[in-house]
Amino acid sequence: MGTDQNRRRKVGLFPSKAAAQGSGNSIPNKNCCSALSRTKFTSQFSDSTVKMTIYNFYLFDRNGTCLYYVDWNRKKQMTMSKEEEFKLMYGMIFSIKSFVSRLSPTDMKDGFLNYSTSKYKLHFFETPSGLKFIMNTDLSVGSMKDVLHQMFSSIYVEYVVKNPLCSLDQPITSELFKNKLDEFVRALPQFAVKAGT
Amino acid sequence: MADEAVFEFLHMEMVAHIHREALKDEKDQCISKLEALGFRVGQSLIERFTRECSRFKDELDTMKFLCKEFWGLVYKKQIDNLRTNHQGVYVLQDNKFKFLVQMSTGKQYMESAPKYLAFPCGMIRGALSNLGVNCIVTAEVSAMPACKFQIQIQRN
């Protein structure tokens, strides 16, 4: 389409408003569930011209308790309460993980990694101990698996596991953890608040 | 490092265990129990650390050894500030005390901090007692993770 080609031509010259406005909804052939295939259609655009955003973050333990939730740029509020939202999120992730492994046409290496819709992308990372890190970002972000892994090893382990006053199966109350996580996420290249919010 | 983590977790669980097992009327004895544990550990540690050292010239030298070598071997860093009034009172200040660093910076969890300082106090007291110095050690926290250990030498 005309707008698509224009965008591609403009990308190399100067950051254009068209590139910033597009949230990826005009790219054809977008799969809804990119769980098994690793192709990322959005990587055609260079990172310097597209603003990427992180919307929010959930942390669940092995039993489904939501240990931590924070959002930075949430555009639409849920119609349900927080507890219901957490239960829904956990249940959905649990089910998708099991579908992905049972319906896989090939041998599975990592299992469920992320899913994309036309407006946002949900990234998932699970540790061997059953801790689930879930992050919603916009579509122009690539793989966040390493970021989530680093969040686990350098923030969760340091400030929650090593804190004797944080019990591991309760929601996290440590201010230090909250501040360090916030600092870490804000410093990521993928976190850039869209102009106008 | 793996070995540091083992001791940190063991200490965390030790404090939690002693507090859990204490009966209602023995709650205030928990801190003394932890301090006594630290005392014994400090005594043995100092024997090990001073294997190759010569005798200390005076009390101040002993304190400096405590601040630099002993602290460095146990907590992998040195004391940030040592003050004395030359009358037998010494104040050791550590701005990033190992057991408090992961808890908070500032005011959160401050009421529970003294529990985790009992064992280190005991360690200092045990180390000094085996070096021939009898003293009383107390700790205070005004802003995490900095804490001050006050050592009062007992002369009789």
Side-chain angles (χ1 to χ4, degrees):
Chain A
M1 286 171 245
T3 45
D4 251 352
Q5 287 163 4
N6 279 342
R7 194 188 303 166
R8 280 194 200 123
R9 253 186 277 132
K10 276 183 188 169
V11 146
L13 296 174
F14 40 75
S16 65
K17 285 203 194 124
Q21 277 164 10
S23 42
N25 51 6
S26 59
I27 299 176
N29 302 329
K30 190 142 194 80
N31 292 333
C32 279
C33 225
S34 58
L36 298 173
S37 73
R38 299 272 207 132
T39 52
K40 305 273 182 288
F41 292 102
T42 52
S43 55
Q44 293 165 6
F45 299 98
S46 66
D47 288 352
S48 58
T49 56
V50 180
K51 292 231 177 84
M52 304 187 268
T53 328
I54 296 183
Y55 295 124
N56 55 11
F57 171 75
Y58 300 78
L59 175 56
F60 289 98
D61 77 344
R62 177 182 30 210
N63 303 319
T65 323
C66 182
L67 300 178
Y68 190 59
Y69 167 74
V70 61
D71 65 55
W72 291 278
N73 279 321
R74 187 160 182 169
K75 299 277 169 55
K76 168 181 156 245
Q77 293 305 319
M78 284 289 192
T79 48
M80 55 186 104
S81 75
K82 280 277 179 247
E83 289 80 34
E84 286 173 16
E85 184 183 322
F86 296 150
K87 276 199 257 192
L88 187 66
M89 174 64 83
Y90 184 78
M92 185 267 292
I93 292 287
F94 187 83
S95 312
I96 283 198
K97 257 180 47 183
S98 111
F99 285 145
V100 160
S101 65
R102 287 195 286 175
L103 297 174
S104 162
T106 65
D107 284 331
M108 238 181 35
K109 190 164 166 276
D110 289 322
F112 173 55
L113 292 172
N114 55 48
Y115 75 69
S116 324
T117 72
S118 52
K119 287 288 184 183
Y120 73 93
K121 188 167 176 181
L122 178 140
H123 304 262
F124 172 72
F125 171 67
E126 184 173 5
T127 69
S129 54
L131 225 58
K132 301 175 173 45
F133 288 72
I134 297 168
M135 188 178 261
N136 288 327
T137 66
D138 74 341
L139 289 163
S140 45
V141 172
S143 166
M144 293 285 267
K145 184 155 176 260
D146 295 325
V147 171
L148 291 173
H149 189 99
Q150 202 185 337
M151 232 188 247
F152 168 65
S153 58
S154 58
I155 304 183
Y156 180 79
V157 168
E158 279 301 311
Y159 300 108
V160 177
V161 177
K162 287 195 180 176
N163 184 342
L165 299 159
C166 274
S167 119
L168 296 179
D169 50 0
Q170 303 259 314
I172 297 172
T173 50
S174 161
E175 292 290 328
L176 190 55
F177 170 78
K178 293 181 187 164
N179 296 337
K180 289 280 172 184
L181 188 76
D182 196 56
E183 221 176 275
F184 177 77
V185 170
R186 284 185 196 271
L188 289 173
Q190 286 95 348
F191 185 92
V193 183
K194 281 209 172 91
T197 48
Chain B
M1 310 298 125
D3 45 351
E4 283 175 27
V6 175
F7 175 59
E8 275 180 40
F9 289 140
L10 179 63
H11 178 248
M12 271 164 54
E13 186 47 33
M14 208 162 59
V15 175
H17 173 79
I18 292 201
H19 279 85
R20 236 189 341 248
E21 301 297 312
L23 305 167
K24 278 289 166 347
D25 45 351
E26 285 174 13
K27 280 279 183 238
D28 42 351
Q29 292 179 10
C30 294
I31 303 257
S32 334
K33 280 195 203 164
L34 283 165
E35 216 253 351
L37 282 170
F39 180 81
R40 185 66 191 83
V41 171
Q43 277 184 322
S44 317
L45 274 180
I46 204 75
E47 292 282 2
R48 198 158 182 272
F49 293 156
T50 51
R51 263 193 298 211
E52 283 105 41
C53 293
S54 47
R55 282 169 62 120
F56 296 115
K57 284 197 297 270
D58 59 3
E59 217 169 72
L60 190 58
D61 225 24
T62 318
M63 286 301 160
K64 287 196 205 160
F65 174 81
L66 193 71
C67 294
K68 294 203 178 120
E69 325 272 330
F70 185 77
W71 222 256
L73 288 162
V74 178
Y75 303 113
K76 309 275 181 304
K77 67 182 287 281
Q78 294 187 356
I79 285 276
D80 297 304
N81 201 340
L82 167 66
R83 270 180 297 200
T84 173
N85 67 356
H86 294 290
Q87 312 269 331
V89 178
Y90 296 85
V91 178
L92 276 61
Q93 185 169 345
D94 189 338
N95 288 333
K96 281 174 89 155
F97 189 58
K98 190 105 171 289
F99 297 139
L100 300 179
V101 158
Q102 279 99 4
M103 278 205 243
S104 86
T105 46
K107 302 282 174 193
Q108 200 191 19
Y109 297 135
M110 194 120 81
E111 347 40 75
S112 326
K115 286 193 273 196
Y116 299 92
L117 295 174
F119 187 88
C121 282
M123 264 207 308
I124 299 177
R125 193 166 69 89
L128 285 173
S129 93
N130 248 12
L131 289 172
V133 178
N134 282 329
C135 57
I136 298 183
V137 183
T138 53
E140 73 168 88
V141 181
S142 46
M144 311 256 247
C147 69
K148 294 197 187 126
F149 292 93
Q150 187 175 15
I151 304 179
Q152 208 160 6
I153 312 278
Q154 311 221 278
R155 301 183 214 278
N156 40 352

